[in-house]
Short mmCIF file of all heavy atoms in Angstrom, two decimals:
data_model
loop_
_atom_site.label_atom_id
_atom_site.label_comp_id
_atom_site.label_asym_id
_atom_site.label_seq_id
_atom_site.Cartn_x
_atom_site.Cartn_y
_atom_site.Cartn_z
N LYS A 206 -78.55 -88.30 -86.73
CA LYS A 206 -79.09 -88.38 -85.33
C LYS A 206 -77.97 -87.98 -84.35
O LYS A 206 -78.40 -87.14 -83.38
CB LYS A 206 -79.78 -89.67 -85.11
CG LYS A 206 -80.47 -89.63 -83.78
CD LYS A 206 -81.21 -90.99 -83.53
CE LYS A 206 -81.96 -90.95 -82.20
NZ LYS A 206 -82.73 -92.16 -82.00
N ALA A 207 -76.82 -88.47 -84.56
CA ALA A 207 -75.79 -88.10 -83.62
C ALA A 207 -75.47 -86.66 -83.68
O ALA A 207 -75.18 -85.99 -82.56
CB ALA A 207 -74.46 -88.91 -83.92
N LYS A 211 -75.78 -84.18 -80.51
CA LYS A 211 -74.61 -83.52 -80.03
C LYS A 211 -74.83 -81.92 -79.92
O LYS A 211 -74.34 -81.25 -79.02
CB LYS A 211 -73.42 -83.77 -80.98
CG LYS A 211 -72.15 -83.22 -80.51
CD LYS A 211 -71.04 -83.56 -81.45
CE LYS A 211 -69.71 -83.15 -80.90
NZ LYS A 211 -68.60 -83.59 -81.73
N TYR A 212 -75.63 -81.37 -80.82
CA TYR A 212 -75.80 -79.99 -80.93
C TYR A 212 -77.27 -79.54 -80.62
O TYR A 212 -77.80 -78.53 -81.03
CB TYR A 212 -75.48 -79.51 -82.18
CG TYR A 212 -74.03 -79.65 -82.56
CD1 TYR A 212 -73.57 -80.72 -83.46
CD2 TYR A 212 -73.07 -78.76 -82.00
CE1 TYR A 212 -72.26 -80.88 -83.74
CE2 TYR A 212 -71.75 -78.98 -82.32
CZ TYR A 212 -71.36 -80.03 -83.14
OH TYR A 212 -69.98 -80.19 -83.38
N ALA A 218 -81.52 -73.34 -78.99
CA ALA A 218 -81.27 -71.90 -78.66
C ALA A 218 -81.48 -71.06 -79.83
O ALA A 218 -82.09 -70.02 -79.87
CB ALA A 218 -79.84 -71.76 -78.06
N ALA A 223 -84.85 -67.35 -82.93
CA ALA A 223 -85.64 -67.12 -84.21
C ALA A 223 -87.10 -66.81 -83.82
O ALA A 223 -87.63 -65.96 -84.34
CB ALA A 223 -85.52 -68.22 -85.24
N GLY A 233 -93.95 -55.17 -84.35
CA GLY A 233 -93.36 -53.94 -85.02
C GLY A 233 -91.91 -53.60 -84.48
O GLY A 233 -91.44 -52.42 -84.88
N CYS A 249 -77.03 -53.88 -87.86
CA CYS A 249 -78.23 -53.09 -88.38
C CYS A 249 -78.16 -53.12 -89.91
O CYS A 249 -77.21 -52.66 -90.45
CB CYS A 249 -78.22 -51.68 -87.76
SG CYS A 249 -79.95 -51.09 -87.72
N LEU A 255 -79.22 -58.96 -96.70
CA LEU A 255 -79.35 -60.45 -97.05
C LEU A 255 -80.39 -60.70 -97.94
O LEU A 255 -80.39 -61.46 -99.05
CB LEU A 255 -79.36 -61.31 -95.85
CG LEU A 255 -79.20 -62.81 -96.09
CD1 LEU A 255 -77.86 -63.13 -96.80
CD2 LEU A 255 -79.34 -63.55 -94.78
N PHE A 256 -81.61 -60.09 -97.59
CA PHE A 256 -82.71 -60.18 -98.56
C PHE A 256 -82.50 -59.78 -99.91
O PHE A 256 -82.72 -60.46 -100.89
CB PHE A 256 -83.99 -59.41 -97.91
CG PHE A 256 -85.06 -59.30 -98.87
CD1 PHE A 256 -85.95 -60.48 -99.11
CD2 PHE A 256 -85.28 -58.22 -99.65
CE1 PHE A 256 -86.97 -60.30 -100.03
CE2 PHE A 256 -86.39 -58.10 -100.47
CZ PHE A 256 -87.22 -59.09 -100.69
N THR A 284 -69.40 -72.84 -89.28
CA THR A 284 -70.06 -74.17 -89.05
C THR A 284 -69.10 -75.39 -89.31
O THR A 284 -69.17 -76.30 -88.52
CB THR A 284 -71.30 -74.34 -90.01
OG1 THR A 284 -72.09 -73.12 -89.83
CG2 THR A 284 -72.02 -75.55 -89.85
N VAL A 285 -68.33 -75.29 -90.36
CA VAL A 285 -67.40 -76.42 -90.56
C VAL A 285 -66.40 -76.45 -89.44
O VAL A 285 -66.03 -77.66 -88.95
CB VAL A 285 -66.58 -76.15 -91.95
CG1 VAL A 285 -65.50 -77.14 -92.06
CG2 VAL A 285 -67.60 -76.33 -93.06
N LYS A 293 -59.76 -73.27 -81.63
CA LYS A 293 -58.83 -72.15 -81.79
C LYS A 293 -59.16 -71.46 -82.95
O LYS A 293 -59.24 -70.13 -83.02
CB LYS A 293 -57.32 -72.51 -81.68
CG LYS A 293 -56.87 -72.90 -80.34
CD LYS A 293 -55.37 -73.15 -80.44
CE LYS A 293 -54.91 -73.45 -79.01
NZ LYS A 293 -53.44 -73.68 -78.91
N ALA A 294 -59.32 -72.18 -84.12
CA ALA A 294 -59.61 -71.55 -85.43
C ALA A 294 -61.00 -70.76 -85.36
O ALA A 294 -61.22 -69.79 -85.89
CB ALA A 294 -59.43 -72.51 -86.60
N ARG A 296 -62.63 -69.71 -82.72
CA ARG A 296 -62.62 -68.51 -81.89
C ARG A 296 -61.81 -67.32 -82.56
O ARG A 296 -62.25 -66.17 -82.53
CB ARG A 296 -61.99 -68.82 -80.52
CG ARG A 296 -62.77 -69.68 -79.61
CD ARG A 296 -62.09 -69.95 -78.39
NE ARG A 296 -62.88 -70.74 -77.48
CZ ARG A 296 -62.44 -71.68 -76.71
NH1 ARG A 296 -61.15 -71.78 -76.48
NH2 ARG A 296 -63.19 -72.43 -75.95
N VAL A 309 -66.62 -51.66 -89.00
CA VAL A 309 -67.74 -51.16 -90.07
C VAL A 309 -68.83 -50.33 -89.36
O VAL A 309 -69.24 -49.34 -89.80
CB VAL A 309 -68.29 -52.35 -90.84
CG1 VAL A 309 -69.50 -51.95 -91.73
CG2 VAL A 309 -67.21 -52.91 -91.78
N VAL A 323 -78.32 -45.33 -87.07
CA VAL A 323 -78.74 -43.99 -86.41
C VAL A 323 -78.18 -43.99 -84.87
O VAL A 323 -77.98 -45.10 -84.29
CB VAL A 323 -80.17 -43.78 -86.33
CG1 VAL A 323 -80.80 -43.61 -87.70
CG2 VAL A 323 -80.93 -44.91 -85.51
N HIS A 340 -88.46 -34.90 -66.58
CA HIS A 340 -89.61 -33.99 -66.65
C HIS A 340 -90.35 -34.07 -65.37
O HIS A 340 -91.03 -33.02 -64.85
CB HIS A 340 -90.42 -34.36 -67.90
CG HIS A 340 -91.71 -33.53 -67.96
ND1 HIS A 340 -91.55 -32.10 -68.39
CD2 HIS A 340 -93.03 -33.69 -67.83
CE1 HIS A 340 -92.78 -31.65 -68.42
NE2 HIS A 340 -93.73 -32.54 -68.13
#
Side-chain angles (χ1 to χ4, degrees):
K206 187 175 180 177
K211 186 173 185 178
Y212 297 103
C249 204
L255 186 59
F256 169 78
T284 303
V285 168
K293 284 186 179 180
R296 288 181 184 147
V309 168
V323 297
H340 181 71

